Each structure stands twice: as C-alpha cells, then as structure tokens.
C-alpha cells in the first residue's frame, strides 16, 4: 500500500508556477533587445499553454556595465513594466555574483521557480518547457545540459574535459557540460541563500544542495551579437575558483610530497652507509644528498601540517550550512 502513497500520479509542485527568468548582463547593449524579445515571446507562450502564472517575468541583472545596458533595461521596464525588471549592481562583480544576486532577488519576489540563463541566447529558451515539466513532476533543480560541444573550439573542449576530470578527482561534484542554465525551485533557492561565501562557484554549490534533480538536454548555439565576456584569463581564474572553493586537497598533496621526500632521504642514507661499508663511497656526496632530501622533506611535511589547519579554518570561515532539511512530517 505504501508504494501507492509514493506514486508520482499527483504532481508534487503547483501547476502554473510563478516564473522569474534571471539574466546576468555585462556590456550586453548589442544583445539586449534581441534577448528581451526572445524571452518575452517565450514567457507569453508558456502563459498561453498555462505552464506558468500570468505575472511571470524577466529579471535582468546589470553587472556594473560600462555601456548602455542599464538604460536599455530601464526603457524595457518602462515599456513593459510587468514583463521586464532590472537589478543594477554598483560594480562589475563577475557572472557568478551577478547571477546569485538575481536569484536572491527572485526569492524576494516570491518566485516559485527561477530559470537562469546567459544574455547572449546561447542557451536555448525552448528547453524551458521541459524544465517546467520536470519541476511539475517534483524536481527542485533542473540542469540544462548541452547535448554536444560541436560549436566549441578543440581547445575549449579539451580544457573543459580536463577541468571536469580534475574536479571529480578532487572530490567536487559538478554536472558535466552544464553551465548556469538551470531551473531552481523556491525551496532550492532558500537553501542556496544559506551559502554566504563570497567566492562563489555555483556549479559546485548547486549540486551539493541535494534535492530531487533532473536534466534537460539542449543544443547550445553561438553568441548572436557582441563578444564573449569570458576571455582565457577569466576562464582560468574561474577554474581555479572552482577547485579552491570546494577542495582543500591541494594542501594535503604537500604533505604527501613531503613524506615522499623524507623517504628518498632515508634511501640516500642507506645507500651512503652501504657504500661506506663496501669502500665505494665518494666523499661528501652521500651525506649531502641525504640532508638535501631529508630536510626538504621535513620542511614540506611541516608546511603540509600547517596547510591542514588552514584548510580547517577555511572551511569554518565559509560558514556553510551543516545540512539542509528537505522535509519534516
Ligand atoms: N557576464 C556578467 N559579468 C561578467 C562577465 C559576464 O554578468 O563579468 C554575463 C554575460 O553578460 C553573459 C554571461 O555572463 O550573460 C556569460 O558570458 P559570456 O556569454 O560572455 O561567456 P561565454 O558564453 O563566452 O563563456
Ligand atoms: Mg556566451
């Protein structure tokens, strides 16, 4: 009988959720009109199909742009006050922070679901239909996952694959080929609000929230206008951010190296003793090698021990929630 209670016959979430689309924008004056039109058409279609509520809207987050981005957002809001909203950050704080501020604003607006996507329409708005469907079936987080990486250069493909592999080996859960195109329910947003850290790597934090999740596959297109705001330099610092904000393993690696070096020192000592005993010793060489490896090893082990404490401090300082309650009955 119990299985009946668990059956997915009745949807877990309300039909026609209030949707807020969160779009971070940095110097996107060339894209904004195109994006605004595409998104308002999408939302109107979703309203028509009664997939979302009538007050659903778009929230543009201006990440301290230096061009006309904010003026355009203001004009859009004046023309269509219920469809377009804007949030202006005083400085350029980067994509992840802009996105987070928008998601928190959506939570304040009492959104049932927030869908985040880039301003350049590389993510396919048509995937939102399936995202809402997955939400209605009970998913709290729905990841938009690219079905292939054909539109990327071989370099970007290769580095992306390497990045996901390194992340996994360091113990961080990420969803491969998922950028920040995703749906989050109000419950998932409230959980995200508990993460107060300032070094944000949402692609790592969101999977660590738990909850019921789903994936929707889509084809990622090319940027339609303007240029990428993610040059190689930003990509590398993003990858470093991802690794260091989730893993303290690089610090433990130092201890491992130190132990290896001490062992090499001991091997040198044994070799020296043996060569002295057999009369093959070269004067000075053995003792020099021994002390080099041994002392080097001791220094590394000491650094590693300090690293372990720094790691603990780092984790405490982040003040992440210890757990997130999904339900209480
Ligand atoms: N973006 C942002 N702040 C930044 C850099 C980028 O809000 O400092 C936004 C940008 O406007 C876009 C999204 O982040 O909506 C993704 O940037 P982009 O498309 O340039 O990255 P790519 O797709 O080339 O990796
Ligand atoms: Mg892009």
């Amino acid at each position: 009988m119990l299985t009946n209670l668990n059956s997915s016959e009745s949807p877990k979430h309300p039909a026609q959720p209030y949707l807020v689309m969160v779009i971070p924008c940095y110097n996107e004056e060339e894209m904004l009109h195109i994006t605004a039109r595409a998104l308002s058409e999408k939302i109107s279609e979703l309203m028509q199909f009664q997939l979302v509520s009538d007050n659903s809207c778009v929230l543009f987050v201006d990440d301290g742009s230096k061009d006309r981005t904010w003026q355009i957002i203001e004009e859009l809001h004046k023309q269509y006050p219920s469809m377009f909203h804007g949030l202006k950050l005083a400085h350029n704080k980067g994509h992840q922070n802009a996105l987070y501020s928008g998601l928190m604003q959506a939570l304040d607006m009492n959104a049932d679901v927030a869908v985040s996507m880039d301003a350049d329409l590389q993510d396919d708005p048509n995937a939102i239909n399936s995202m809402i469907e997955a939400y209605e079936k009970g998913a709290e987080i729905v990841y938009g996952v690219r079905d292939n990486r054909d539109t990327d250069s071989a370099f970007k493909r290769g580095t992306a694959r390497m990045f996901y592999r390194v992340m996994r080996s360091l113990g961080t859960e990420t969803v491969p080929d998922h950028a920040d195109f995703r749906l989050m329910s109000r419950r998932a947003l409230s959980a995200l609000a508990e993460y107060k850290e300032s070094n944000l790597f949402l692609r790592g934090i969101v999977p660590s929230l738990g909850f019921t999740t789903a994936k929707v596959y889509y084809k990622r297109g090319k940027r339609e206008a303007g240029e990428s705001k993610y040059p190689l330099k930003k990509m590398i610092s993003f990858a470093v951010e991802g690794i260091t904000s989730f893993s303290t393993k690089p610090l433990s690696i130092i201890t491992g190296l130190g132990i290896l070096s001490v062992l090499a020192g001991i091997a040198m000592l044994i070799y020296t003793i043996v060569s002295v005993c057999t009369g093959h010793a070269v004067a000075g060489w053995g003792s020099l090698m021994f002390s080099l490896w041994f002392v080097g090893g001791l220094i590394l082990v000491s650094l590693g021990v300090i690293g372990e404490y720094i790691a603990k401090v780092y984790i405490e300082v982040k003040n992440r929630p210890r757990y997130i309650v999904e339900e209480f009955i």
Side-chain angles (χ1 to χ4, degrees):
M1 284 317 275
L2 261 177
T3 46
N4 274 347
L5 284 176
N6 245 342
S7 82
S8 52
E9 286 291 291
S10 63
K12 216 176 148 192
H13 283 129
Q16 292 197 47
Y18 169 27
L19 162 74
V20 176
M21 298 214 51
V22 178
I23 319 292
C25 308
Y26 178 57
N27 293 346
E28 296 284 5
E29 59 181 9
E30 288 155 278
M31 252 337 278
L32 261 181
H33 284 295
I34 310 173
T35 309
R37 169 177 300 207
L39 294 183
S40 62
E41 277 171 12
K42 179 85 255 172
I43 289 185
S44 310
E45 177 207 305
L46 292 170
M47 286 175 184
Q48 243 169 30
F49 292 155
Q50 307 206 324
L51 283 169
V52 299
S53 75
D54 286 340
N55 54 344
S56 297
C57 61
V58 180
L59 171 66
F60 289 111
V61 181
D62 176 17
D63 184 18
S65 300
K66 293 175 184 67
D67 64 358
R68 293 193 61 250
T69 299
W70 182 247
Q71 280 97 300
I72 298 174
I73 295 171
E74 280 179 324
E75 282 162 26
L76 285 167
H77 176 66
K78 224 174 266 163
Q79 271 180 318
Y80 308 97
S82 57
M83 179 60 84
F84 299 113
H85 297 264
L87 183 70
K88 186 179 195 310
L89 303 188
H91 298 277
N92 176 232
K93 286 303 207 173
H95 174 232
Q96 298 285 292
N97 284 308
L99 189 52
Y100 187 84
S101 69
L103 291 174
M104 291 306 108
Q105 182 65 37
L107 189 61
D108 276 354
M109 290 160 75
N110 251 324
D112 291 315
V113 291
V115 170
S116 55
M117 71 188 263
D118 290 351
D120 56 7
L121 290 183
Q122 283 189 281
D123 306 321
D124 182 8
N126 291 320
I128 298 171
N129 299 46
S130 320
M131 286 182 167
I132 303 275
E133 248 168 61
Y135 165 79
E136 284 187 357
K137 285 191 189 134
E140 304 284 349
I141 302 170
V142 187
Y143 299 106
V145 179
R146 331 170 40 163
D147 57 2
N148 64 57
R149 283 189 165 260
D150 290 349
T151 49
D152 277 359
S153 65
F155 176 75
K156 196 153 182 171
R157 258 201 307 261
T159 46
R161 196 169 309 137
M162 204 169 74
F163 174 68
Y164 291 121
R165 200 167 296 158
V166 171
M167 289 297 279
R168 202 172 320 123
S169 68
L170 291 176
T172 305
E173 198 191 330
T174 49
V175 181
D177 292 333
H178 157 69
D180 286 296
F181 183 29
R182 74 174 84 80
L183 174 147
M184 293 180 79
S185 68
R186 189 187 312 168
R187 189 184 277 171
L189 290 173
S190 315
L192 182 65
E194 301 282 316
Y195 284 70
K196 313 278 187 205
E197 63 207 73
S198 54
N199 291 314
L200 268 182
F201 185 70
L202 289 173
R203 291 173 210 182
I205 294 177
V206 174
S208 74
L209 296 177
F211 295 121
T212 314
T213 63
K215 285 182 190 165
V216 166
Y217 290 86
Y218 73 101
K219 196 169 164 53
R220 188 167 160 106
K222 281 205 162 61
R223 179 180 260 279
E224 289 192 18
E227 55 194 32
S228 171
K229 275 80 193 169
Y230 261 101
L232 184 63
K233 206 175 117 208
K234 267 196 192 172
M235 254 168 60
I236 292 174
S237 66
F238 186 60
V240 170
E241 185 70 67
I243 290 165
T244 54
S245 70
F246 270 87
S247 175
T248 50
K249 272 201 185 154
L251 289 172
S252 325
I253 291 172
I254 298 177
T255 319
L257 283 178
I259 290 171
L260 280 183
S261 183
V262 166
L263 290 179
I266 291 171
M268 282 296 162
L269 182 67
I270 294 171
Y271 174 78
T272 312
I273 292 171
V274 169
S275 47
V276 166
C277 293
T278 54
H280 290 94
V282 181
W285 186 82
S287 52
L288 210 64
M289 277 312 186
F290 161 68
S291 34
L292 205 71
W293 286 93
F294 194 74
V295 172
L298 282 186
I299 293 173
L300 278 181
V301 170
S302 320
L303 279 180
V305 170
I306 294 172
E308 298 292 332
Y309 284 99
I310 292 181
K312 293 249 151 46
V313 172
Y314 183 55
I315 289 165
E316 292 292 337
V317 160
K318 275 187 201 266
N319 206 6
R320 285 185 178 169
R322 276 189 210 184
Y323 48 78
I324 291 159
V325 176
E326 183 163 352
E327 230 166 319
F328 171 69
I329 51 171

